PDB file of all heavy atoms in Angstrom:
ATOM      1  N   ARG A 116      74.364  59.446  85.179  1.00  0.00           N
ATOM      2  CA  ARG A 116      75.853  59.560  85.320  1.00  0.00           C
ATOM      3  C   ARG A 116      76.190  60.952  85.705  1.00  0.00           C
ATOM      4  O   ARG A 116      77.038  61.208  86.608  1.00  0.00           O
ATOM      5  CB  ARG A 116      76.514  59.160  84.045  1.00  0.00           C
ATOM      6  CG  ARG A 116      78.067  59.175  84.221  1.00  0.00           C
ATOM      7  CD  ARG A 116      78.712  58.616  82.928  1.00  0.00           C
ATOM      8  NE  ARG A 116      80.149  58.589  83.077  1.00  0.00           N
ATOM      9  CZ  ARG A 116      80.933  59.719  83.034  1.00  0.00           C
ATOM     10  NH1 ARG A 116      80.443  60.878  82.811  1.00  0.00           N
ATOM     11  NH2 ARG A 116      82.255  59.625  83.184  1.00  0.00           N
ATOM     12  N   ARG A 117      75.548  61.941  85.062  1.00  0.00           N
ATOM     13  CA  ARG A 117      75.887  63.367  85.343  1.00  0.00           C
ATOM     14  C   ARG A 117      75.502  63.635  86.843  1.00  0.00           C
ATOM     15  O   ARG A 117      76.209  64.431  87.523  1.00  0.00           O
ATOM     16  CB  ARG A 117      75.047  64.201  84.354  1.00  0.00           C
ATOM     17  CG  ARG A 117      75.338  65.682  84.536  1.00  0.00           C
ATOM     18  CD  ARG A 117      76.642  66.070  83.884  1.00  0.00           C
ATOM     19  NE  ARG A 117      77.147  67.277  84.666  1.00  0.00           N
ATOM     20  CZ  ARG A 117      78.394  67.342  85.119  1.00  0.00           C
ATOM     21  NH1 ARG A 117      79.282  66.440  84.857  1.00  0.00           N
ATOM     22  NH2 ARG A 117      78.721  68.348  85.863  1.00  0.00           N
ATOM     23  N   GLN A 118      74.350  63.125  87.238  1.00  0.00           N
ATOM     24  CA  GLN A 118      73.944  63.394  88.648  1.00  0.00           C
ATOM     25  C   GLN A 118      74.852  62.731  89.690  1.00  0.00           C
ATOM     26  O   GLN A 118      75.124  63.280  90.668  1.00  0.00           O
ATOM     27  CB  GLN A 118      72.494  62.846  88.787  1.00  0.00           C
ATOM     28  CG  GLN A 118      71.888  63.222  90.185  1.00  0.00           C
ATOM     29  CD  GLN A 118      71.797  64.672  90.369  1.00  0.00           C
ATOM     30  OE1 GLN A 118      71.418  65.425  89.482  1.00  0.00           O
ATOM     31  NE2 GLN A 118      72.023  65.127  91.584  1.00  0.00           N
ATOM     32  N   GLN A 119      75.392  61.563  89.343  1.00  0.00           N
ATOM     33  CA  GLN A 119      76.379  60.890  90.195  1.00  0.00           C
ATOM     34  C   GLN A 119      77.631  61.742  90.303  1.00  0.00           C
ATOM     35  O   GLN A 119      78.195  61.916  91.424  1.00  0.00           O
ATOM     36  CB  GLN A 119      76.670  59.453  89.679  1.00  0.00           C
ATOM     37  CG  GLN A 119      77.556  58.721  90.537  1.00  0.00           C
ATOM     38  CD  GLN A 119      77.958  57.386  89.932  1.00  0.00           C
ATOM     39  OE1 GLN A 119      77.968  57.223  88.697  1.00  0.00           O
ATOM     40  NE2 GLN A 119      78.228  56.425  90.778  1.00  0.00           N
ATOM     41  N   ILE A 120      78.109  62.239  89.192  1.00  0.00           N
ATOM     42  CA  ILE A 120      79.304  63.088  89.273  1.00  0.00           C
ATOM     43  C   ILE A 120      79.081  64.302  90.071  1.00  0.00           C
ATOM     44  O   ILE A 120      79.909  64.765  90.915  1.00  0.00           O
ATOM     45  CB  ILE A 120      79.714  63.465  87.796  1.00  0.00           C
ATOM     46  CG1 ILE A 120      80.257  62.259  87.097  1.00  0.00           C
ATOM     47  CG2 ILE A 120      80.854  64.527  87.893  1.00  0.00           C
ATOM     48  CD1 ILE A 120      80.435  62.422  85.630  1.00  0.00           C
ATOM     49  N   LYS A 121      77.916  64.961  89.854  1.00  0.00           N
ATOM     50  CA  LYS A 121      77.585  66.161  90.601  1.00  0.00           C
ATOM     51  C   LYS A 121      77.553  65.894  92.099  1.00  0.00           C
ATOM     52  O   LYS A 121      78.071  66.647  92.875  1.00  0.00           O
ATOM     53  CB  LYS A 121      76.215  66.699  90.174  1.00  0.00           C
ATOM     54  CG  LYS A 121      75.778  67.938  90.902  1.00  0.00           C
ATOM     55  CD  LYS A 121      74.421  68.384  90.360  1.00  0.00           C
ATOM     56  CE  LYS A 121      73.900  69.562  91.173  1.00  0.00           C
ATOM     57  NZ  LYS A 121      72.606  69.941  90.790  1.00  0.00           N
ATOM     58  N   THR A 122      76.954  64.785  92.490  1.00  0.00           N
ATOM     59  CA  THR A 122      76.810  64.428  93.942  1.00  0.00           C
ATOM     60  C   THR A 122      78.177  64.230  94.520  1.00  0.00           C
ATOM     61  O   THR A 122      78.480  64.655  95.653  1.00  0.00           O
ATOM     62  CB  THR A 122      75.979  63.224  94.139  1.00  0.00           C
ATOM     63  OG1 THR A 122      74.649  63.430  93.477  1.00  0.00           O
ATOM     64  CG2 THR A 122      75.787  62.877  95.549  1.00  0.00           C
ATOM     65  N   ARG A 123      79.048  63.545  93.791  1.00  0.00           N
ATOM     66  CA  ARG A 123      80.393  63.189  94.320  1.00  0.00           C
ATOM     67  C   ARG A 123      81.210  64.499  94.554  1.00  0.00           C
ATOM     68  O   ARG A 123      81.889  64.690  95.518  1.00  0.00           O
ATOM     69  CB  ARG A 123      81.093  62.247  93.354  1.00  0.00           C
ATOM     70  CG  ARG A 123      82.461  61.820  93.817  1.00  0.00           C
ATOM     71  CD  ARG A 123      83.055  60.743  92.956  1.00  0.00           C
ATOM     72  NE  ARG A 123      83.103  61.072  91.612  1.00  0.00           N
ATOM     73  CZ  ARG A 123      82.508  60.344  90.564  1.00  0.00           C
ATOM     74  NH1 ARG A 123      81.821  59.236  90.848  1.00  0.00           N
ATOM     75  NH2 ARG A 123      82.609  60.749  89.399  1.00  0.00           N
ATOM     76  N   VAL A 124      81.184  65.431  93.524  1.00  0.00           N
ATOM     77  CA  VAL A 124      81.909  66.662  93.674  1.00  0.00           C
ATOM     78  C   VAL A 124      81.353  67.540  94.764  1.00  0.00           C
ATOM     79  O   VAL A 124      82.064  68.162  95.558  1.00  0.00           O
ATOM     80  CB  VAL A 124      81.898  67.391  92.307  1.00  0.00           C
ATOM     81  CG1 VAL A 124      82.432  68.809  92.425  1.00  0.00           C
ATOM     82  CG2 VAL A 124      82.704  66.641  91.314  1.00  0.00           C
ATOM     83  N   ARG A 125      79.981  67.670  94.881  1.00  0.00           N
ATOM     84  CA  ARG A 125      79.383  68.602  95.827  1.00  0.00           C
ATOM     85  C   ARG A 125      79.580  68.149  97.299  1.00  0.00           C
ATOM     86  O   ARG A 125      79.398  68.932  98.162  1.00  0.00           O
ATOM     87  CB  ARG A 125      77.863  68.712  95.513  1.00  0.00           C
ATOM     88  CG  ARG A 125      77.635  69.439  94.136  1.00  0.00           C
ATOM     89  CD  ARG A 125      77.960  70.912  94.151  1.00  0.00           C
ATOM     90  NE  ARG A 125      76.886  71.561  94.924  1.00  0.00           N
ATOM     91  CZ  ARG A 125      77.196  72.350  95.940  1.00  0.00           C
ATOM     92  NH1 ARG A 125      78.395  72.560  96.382  1.00  0.00           N
ATOM     93  NH2 ARG A 125      76.242  72.944  96.648  1.00  0.00           N
ATOM     94  N   LYS A 126      79.883  66.882  97.505  1.00  0.00           N
ATOM     95  CA  LYS A 126      80.251  66.455  98.826  1.00  0.00           C
ATOM     96  C   LYS A 126      81.503  67.166  99.343  1.00  0.00           C
ATOM     97  O   LYS A 126      81.667  67.466 100.556  1.00  0.00           O
ATOM     98  CB  LYS A 126      80.460  64.943  98.908  1.00  0.00           C
ATOM     99  CG  LYS A 126      79.153  64.155  99.002  1.00  0.00           C
ATOM    100  CD  LYS A 126      79.469  62.729  99.399  1.00  0.00           C
ATOM    101  CE  LYS A 126      79.799  61.897  98.218  1.00  0.00           C
ATOM    102  NZ  LYS A 126      80.006  60.489  98.486  1.00  0.00           N
ATOM    103  N   LYS A 127      82.394  67.489  98.433  1.00  0.00           N
ATOM    104  CA  LYS A 127      83.679  68.016  98.792  1.00  0.00           C
ATOM    105  C   LYS A 127      83.801  69.543  98.610  1.00  0.00           C
ATOM    106  O   LYS A 127      84.590  70.197  99.252  1.00  0.00           O
ATOM    107  CB  LYS A 127      84.789  67.358  97.878  1.00  0.00           C
ATOM    108  CG  LYS A 127      84.883  65.883  98.082  1.00  0.00           C
ATOM    109  CD  LYS A 127      85.873  65.234  97.128  1.00  0.00           C
ATOM    110  CE  LYS A 127      85.795  63.698  97.114  1.00  0.00           C
ATOM    111  NZ  LYS A 127      86.570  63.147  96.073  1.00  0.00           N
ATOM    112  N   VAL A 128      83.103  70.100  97.607  1.00  0.00           N
ATOM    113  CA  VAL A 128      83.277  71.517  97.284  1.00  0.00           C
ATOM    114  C   VAL A 128      82.023  72.295  97.675  1.00  0.00           C
ATOM    115  O   VAL A 128      80.887  71.954  97.350  1.00  0.00           O
ATOM    116  CB  VAL A 128      83.484  71.581  95.692  1.00  0.00           C
ATOM    117  CG1 VAL A 128      83.651  73.007  95.308  1.00  0.00           C
ATOM    118  CG2 VAL A 128      84.633  70.764  95.289  1.00  0.00           C
ATOM    119  N   HIS A 129      82.374  73.415  98.378  1.00  0.00           N
ATOM    120  CA  HIS A 129      81.259  74.326  98.833  1.00  0.00           C
ATOM    121  C   HIS A 129      81.691  75.793  98.615  1.00  0.00           C
ATOM    122  O   HIS A 129      82.759  76.151  99.108  1.00  0.00           O
ATOM    123  CB  HIS A 129      80.852  74.004 100.263  1.00  0.00           C
ATOM    124  CG  HIS A 129      79.763  74.894 100.837  1.00  0.00           C
ATOM    125  ND1 HIS A 129      78.448  74.606 100.475  1.00  0.00           N
ATOM    126  CD2 HIS A 129      79.721  75.976 101.605  1.00  0.00           C
ATOM    127  CE1 HIS A 129      77.707  75.505 101.054  1.00  0.00           C
ATOM    128  NE2 HIS A 129      78.447  76.301 101.754  1.00  0.00           N
ATOM    129  N   GLY A 130      80.948  76.578  97.920  1.00  0.00           N
ATOM    130  CA  GLY A 130      81.343  77.969  97.719  1.00  0.00           C
ATOM    131  C   GLY A 130      80.819  78.882  98.824  1.00  0.00           C
ATOM    132  O   GLY A 130      79.744  78.711  99.278  1.00  0.00           O
ATOM    133  N   THR A 131      81.725  79.791  99.161  1.00  0.00           N
ATOM    134  CA  THR A 131      81.367  80.787 100.236  1.00  0.00           C
ATOM    135  C   THR A 131      81.280  82.130  99.642  1.00  0.00           C
ATOM    136  O   THR A 131      81.568  82.333  98.413  1.00  0.00           O
ATOM    137  CB  THR A 131      82.377  80.791 101.362  1.00  0.00           C
ATOM    138  OG1 THR A 131      83.584  81.196 100.845  1.00  0.00           O
ATOM    139  CG2 THR A 131      82.435  79.400 102.009  1.00  0.00           C
ATOM    140  N   THR A 132      80.870  83.142 100.434  1.00  0.00           N
ATOM    141  CA  THR A 132      80.852  84.537  99.879  1.00  0.00           C
ATOM    142  C   THR A 132      82.243  85.034  99.592  1.00  0.00           C
ATOM    143  O   THR A 132      82.478  85.712  98.588  1.00  0.00           O
ATOM    144  CB  THR A 132      80.192  85.470 100.969  1.00  0.00           C
ATOM    145  OG1 THR A 132      78.903  84.882 101.260  1.00  0.00           O
ATOM    146  CG2 THR A 132      79.943  86.851 100.426  1.00  0.00           C
ATOM    147  N   GLU A 133      83.219  84.615 100.462  1.00  0.00           N
ATOM    148  CA  GLU A 133      84.609  85.147 100.233  1.00  0.00           C
ATOM    149  C   GLU A 133      85.295  84.373  99.077  1.00  0.00           C
ATOM    150  O   GLU A 133      86.093  84.939  98.379  1.00  0.00           O
ATOM    151  CB  GLU A 133      85.475  84.871 101.496  1.00  0.00           C
ATOM    152  CG  GLU A 133      85.064  85.656 102.661  1.00  0.00           C
ATOM    153  CD  GLU A 133      83.906  85.066 103.418  1.00  0.00           C
ATOM    154  OE1 GLU A 133      83.709  83.850 103.417  1.00  0.00           O
ATOM    155  OE2 GLU A 133      83.051  85.859 103.997  1.00  0.00           O
ATOM    156  N   ARG A 134      84.906  83.089  98.945  1.00  0.00           N
ATOM    157  CA  ARG A 134      85.512  82.275  97.884  1.00  0.00           C
ATOM    158  C   ARG A 134      84.431  81.454  97.219  1.00  0.00           C
ATOM    159  O   ARG A 134      84.210  80.316  97.623  1.00  0.00           O
ATOM    160  CB  ARG A 134      86.595  81.415  98.438  1.00  0.00           C
ATOM    161  CG  ARG A 134      87.448  80.746  97.380  1.00  0.00           C
ATOM    162  CD  ARG A 134      88.689  80.124  97.903  1.00  0.00           C
ATOM    163  NE  ARG A 134      89.552  79.802  96.820  1.00  0.00           N
ATOM    164  CZ  ARG A 134      90.865  79.632  96.905  1.00  0.00           C
ATOM    165  NH1 ARG A 134      91.416  79.849  98.102  1.00  0.00           N
ATOM    166  NH2 ARG A 134      91.599  79.306  95.912  1.00  0.00           N
ATOM    167  N   PRO A 135      83.772  81.934  96.213  1.00  0.00           N
ATOM    168  CA  PRO A 135      82.695  81.214  95.572  1.00  0.00           C
ATOM    169  C   PRO A 135      83.156  80.027  94.725  1.00  0.00           C
ATOM    170  O   PRO A 135      84.375  79.911  94.514  1.00  0.00           O
ATOM    171  CB  PRO A 135      82.002  82.164  94.699  1.00  0.00           C
ATOM    172  CG  PRO A 135      83.057  83.308  94.494  1.00  0.00           C
ATOM    173  CD  PRO A 135      83.904  83.273  95.619  1.00  0.00           C
ATOM    174  N   ARG A 136      82.294  79.154  94.330  1.00  0.00           N
ATOM    175  CA  ARG A 136      82.611  77.873  93.619  1.00  0.00           C
ATOM    176  C   ARG A 136      82.484  78.200  92.126  1.00  0.00           C
ATOM    177  O   ARG A 136      81.566  78.862  91.688  1.00  0.00           O
ATOM    178  CB  ARG A 136      81.563  76.803  94.085  1.00  0.00           C
ATOM    179  CG  ARG A 136      81.571  75.632  93.238  1.00  0.00           C
ATOM    180  CD  ARG A 136      80.654  74.552  93.898  1.00  0.00           C
ATOM    181  NE  ARG A 136      79.254  74.941  94.063  1.00  0.00           N
ATOM    182  CZ  ARG A 136      78.292  74.609  93.171  1.00  0.00           C
ATOM    183  NH1 ARG A 136      78.584  73.798  92.195  1.00  0.00           N
ATOM    184  NH2 ARG A 136      77.050  74.966  93.451  1.00  0.00           N
ATOM    185  N   LEU A 137      83.418  77.612  91.322  1.00  0.00           N
ATOM    186  CA  LEU A 137      83.358  77.673  89.861  1.00  0.00           C
ATOM    187  C   LEU A 137      82.795  76.331  89.359  1.00  0.00           C
ATOM    188  O   LEU A 137      83.393  75.295  89.611  1.00  0.00           O
ATOM    189  CB  LEU A 137      84.780  77.898  89.319  1.00  0.00           C
ATOM    190  CG  LEU A 137      84.865  77.885  87.792  1.00  0.00           C
ATOM    191  CD1 LEU A 137      84.001  79.014  87.151  1.00  0.00           C
ATOM    192  CD2 LEU A 137      86.311  77.997  87.312  1.00  0.00           C
ATOM    193  N   SER A 138      81.706  76.442  88.667  1.00  0.00           N
ATOM    194  CA  SER A 138      81.113  75.161  88.072  1.00  0.00           C
ATOM    195  C   SER A 138      81.270  75.280  86.556  1.00  0.00           C
ATOM    196  O   SER A 138      80.889  76.302  85.897  1.00  0.00           O
ATOM    197  CB  SER A 138      79.645  75.183  88.455  1.00  0.00           C
ATOM    198  OG  SER A 138      78.941  74.140  87.725  1.00  0.00           O
ATOM    199  N   VAL A 139      81.859  74.283  85.970  1.00  0.00           N
ATOM    200  CA  VAL A 139      82.004  74.227  84.510  1.00  0.00           C
ATOM    201  C   VAL A 139      81.295  72.958  83.990  1.00  0.00           C
ATOM    202  O   VAL A 139      81.376  71.863  84.499  1.00  0.00           O
ATOM    203  CB  VAL A 139      83.508  74.109  84.189  1.00  0.00           C
ATOM    204  CG1 VAL A 139      83.697  74.016  82.635  1.00  0.00           C
ATOM    205  CG2 VAL A 139      84.264  75.291  84.723  1.00  0.00           C
ATOM    206  N   TYR A 140      80.538  73.188  82.868  1.00  0.00           N
ATOM    207  CA  TYR A 140      79.797  72.038  82.245  1.00  0.00           C
ATOM    208  C   TYR A 140      80.088  72.076  80.796  1.00  0.00           C
ATOM    209  O   TYR A 140      79.966  73.134  80.133  1.00  0.00           O
ATOM    210  CB  TYR A 140      78.311  72.162  82.528  1.00  0.00           C
ATOM    211  CG  TYR A 140      77.514  71.098  81.948  1.00  0.00           C
ATOM    212  CD1 TYR A 140      77.576  69.732  82.329  1.00  0.00           C
ATOM    213  CD2 TYR A 140      76.631  71.380  80.864  1.00  0.00           C
ATOM    214  CE1 TYR A 140      76.932  68.769  81.774  1.00  0.00           C
ATOM    215  CE2 TYR A 140      75.936  70.362  80.201  1.00  0.00           C
ATOM    216  CZ  TYR A 140      76.035  69.095  80.667  1.00  0.00           C
ATOM    217  OH  TYR A 140      75.299  68.067  80.097  1.00  0.00           O
ATOM    218  N   ARG A 141      80.380  70.959  80.263  1.00  0.00           N
ATOM    219  CA  ARG A 141      80.622  70.843  78.850  1.00  0.00           C
ATOM    220  C   ARG A 141      79.558  69.876  78.212  1.00  0.00           C
ATOM    221  O   ARG A 141      79.520  68.750  78.665  1.00  0.00           O
ATOM    222  CB  ARG A 141      81.982  70.314  78.502  1.00  0.00           C
ATOM    223  CG  ARG A 141      82.348  70.286  77.032  1.00  0.00           C
ATOM    224  CD  ARG A 141      83.666  69.635  76.817  1.00  0.00           C
ATOM    225  NE  ARG A 141      83.543  68.169  77.069  1.00  0.00           N
ATOM    226  CZ  ARG A 141      83.530  67.213  76.248  1.00  0.00           C
ATOM    227  NH1 ARG A 141      83.483  67.480  74.997  1.00  0.00           N
ATOM    228  NH2 ARG A 141      83.475  65.997  76.681  1.00  0.00           N
ATOM    229  N   SER A 142      78.787  70.333  77.282  1.00  0.00           N
ATOM    230  CA  SER A 142      77.844  69.451  76.640  1.00  0.00           C
ATOM    231  C   SER A 142      78.242  69.248  75.195  1.00  0.00           C
ATOM    232  O   SER A 142      79.311  69.744  74.805  1.00  0.00           O
ATOM    233  CB  SER A 142      76.439  70.169  76.601  1.00  0.00           C
ATOM    234  OG  SER A 142      76.369  71.249  75.802  1.00  0.00           O
ATOM    235  N   ASN A 143      77.475  68.575  74.438  1.00  0.00           N
ATOM    236  CA  ASN A 143      77.776  68.283  73.053  1.00  0.00           C
ATOM    237  C   ASN A 143      77.695  69.533  72.260  1.00  0.00           C
ATOM    238  O   ASN A 143      78.349  69.672  71.209  1.00  0.00           O
ATOM    239  CB  ASN A 143      76.857  67.238  72.439  1.00  0.00           C
ATOM    240  CG  ASN A 143      77.248  65.858  72.970  1.00  0.00           C
ATOM    241  OD1 ASN A 143      78.308  65.602  73.433  1.00  0.00           O
ATOM    242  ND2 ASN A 143      76.190  64.912  72.880  1.00  0.00           N
ATOM    243  N   THR A 144      76.953  70.527  72.626  1.00  0.00           N
ATOM    244  CA  THR A 144      76.667  71.716  71.869  1.00  0.00           C
ATOM    245  C   THR A 144      77.451  72.931  72.389  1.00  0.00           C
ATOM    246  O   THR A 144      77.588  73.838  71.601  1.00  0.00           O
ATOM    247  CB  THR A 144      75.188  72.051  71.843  1.00  0.00           C
ATOM    248  OG1 THR A 144      74.733  72.247  73.270  1.00  0.00           O
ATOM    249  CG2 THR A 144      74.333  70.984  71.188  1.00  0.00           C
ATOM    250  N   GLY A 145      77.872  72.921  73.660  1.00  0.00           N
ATOM    251  CA  GLY A 145      78.544  74.110  74.092  1.00  0.00           C
ATOM    252  C   GLY A 145      79.257  73.944  75.446  1.00  0.00           C
ATOM    253  O   GLY A 145      79.330  72.847  76.036  1.00  0.00           O
ATOM    254  N   MET A 146      79.817  75.052  75.956  1.00  0.00           N
ATOM    255  CA  MET A 146      80.583  75.091  77.162  1.00  0.00           C
ATOM    256  C   MET A 146      79.934  76.166  78.090  1.00  0.00           C
ATOM    257  O   MET A 146      79.573  77.243  77.582  1.00  0.00           O
ATOM    258  CB  MET A 146      82.012  75.533  76.805  1.00  0.00           C
ATOM    259  CG  MET A 146      83.023  75.335  77.794  1.00  0.00           C
ATOM    260  SD  MET A 146      83.724  73.681  77.867  1.00  0.00           S
ATOM    261  CE  MET A 146      84.251  73.403  76.176  1.00  0.00           C
ATOM    262  N   TYR A 147      79.775  75.802  79.350  1.00  0.00           N
ATOM    263  CA  TYR A 147      79.118  76.697  80.280  1.00  0.00           C
ATOM    264  C   TYR A 147      79.977  76.828  81.504  1.00  0.00           C
ATOM    265  O   TYR A 147      80.563  75.874  81.995  1.00  0.00           O
ATOM    266  CB  TYR A 147      77.734  76.177  80.723  1.00  0.00           C
ATOM    267  CG  TYR A 147      76.901  75.773  79.524  1.00  0.00           C
ATOM    268  CD1 TYR A 147      76.920  74.549  79.005  1.00  0.00           C
ATOM    269  CD2 TYR A 147      75.952  76.678  78.989  1.00  0.00           C
ATOM    270  CE1 TYR A 147      76.090  74.165  77.875  1.00  0.00           C
ATOM    271  CE2 TYR A 147      75.161  76.405  77.965  1.00  0.00           C
ATOM    272  CZ  TYR A 147      75.204  75.087  77.409  1.00  0.00           C
ATOM    273  OH  TYR A 147      74.393  74.768  76.309  1.00  0.00           O
ATOM    274  N   ALA A 148      79.967  78.009  82.139  1.00  0.00           N
ATOM    275  CA  ALA A 148      80.739  78.233  83.352  1.00  0.00           C
ATOM    276  C   ALA A 148      79.882  79.206  84.246  1.00  0.00           C
ATOM    277  O   ALA A 148      79.347  80.147  83.762  1.00  0.00           O
ATOM    278  CB  ALA A 148      82.093  78.815  83.058  1.00  0.00           C
TER     279      ALA A 148
END
Side-chain angles (χ1 to χ4, degrees):
R116 183 175 183 283
R117 182 77 210 133
Q118 187 61 39
Q119 183 184 26
I120 291 168
K121 179 181 174 184
T122 304
R123 186 172 53 237
V124 169
R125 294 289 286 125
K126 279 194 275 186
K127 301 174 187 174
V128 180
H129 182 76
T131 62
T132 305
E133 296 81 31
R134 191 168 191 156
R136 169 172 61 99
L137 174 65
S138 173
V139 178
Y140 178 70
R141 184 186 68 103
S142 71
N143 287 337
T144 57
M146 194 84 54
Y147 308 88

